[in-house]
Amino acid sequence: MNDDTKRLREAARDYVVDPPVTTMSSKRQITLPAEVVRHLGLKPGAKLAVYVVDGTIVLRHRPGTWLEYVTSGPPGMTKNEVDAYLRELRGQDEEHAQQIEGDAYIAADED
């Protein structure tokens, strides 16, 4: 799937699903929708880490101490769900590594 198709699908999904929407003020401030704040259990003064991933703004709650940050999993996930997710990611990494290794062998054969 090319980048244009991917962007079109994401835009269509966002309008069909009708997610909560916020508007940026002239001071570049946003107000998080109440349902999102409640779902994540955020309190006034909560710190949020801000990332840009593939053109999408991602906010992640950042606990006060390093230990809390390291031991906190993704919001709403149990330990078993986190473990399963990590196993899935590791499997994808292994598949990717094998693909890269195979591509390197093909390139070497062509020389």
Side-chain angles (χ1 to χ4, degrees):
M1 174 181 340
N2 67 33
D3 288 340
D4 290 336
T5 303
K6 184 177 177 182
R7 279 194 291 271
L8 181 61
R9 283 183 179 211
E10 289 173 358
R13 182 198 65 224
D14 289 346
Y15 278 93
V16 170
V17 174
D18 197 24
V21 175
T22 190
T23 302
M24 185 168 47
S25 74
S26 61
K27 294 181 180 182
R28 297 187 306 235
Q29 297 172 330
I30 62 169
T31 300
L32 297 175
E35 64 189 82
V36 172
V37 172
R38 280 192 299 270
H39 178 76
L40 296 177
L42 298 174
K43 304 289 182 216
K47 299 291 184 188
L48 301 172
V50 181
Y51 305 93
V52 176
V53 178
D54 294 328
T56 300
I57 299 170
V58 177
L59 301 175
R60 180 173 182 222
H61 180 242
R62 185 171 180 179
T65 68
W66 175 246
L67 181 60
E68 290 173 336
Y69 185 71
V70 170
T71 59
S72 70
M77 293 181 78
T78 66
K79 181 184 182 314
N80 290 339
E81 290 171 330
V82 170
D83 290 343
Y85 176 70
L86 291 174
R87 281 192 301 275
E88 179 184 333
L89 286 179
R90 288 180 185 126
Q92 291 172 0
D93 287 346
E94 181 63 29
E95 290 171 15
H96 183 69
Q98 289 173 355
Q99 180 184 4
I100 290 171
E101 189 175 288
D103 290 346
Y105 286 130
I106 292 170
D109 289 343
E110 292 173 354
D111 289 342

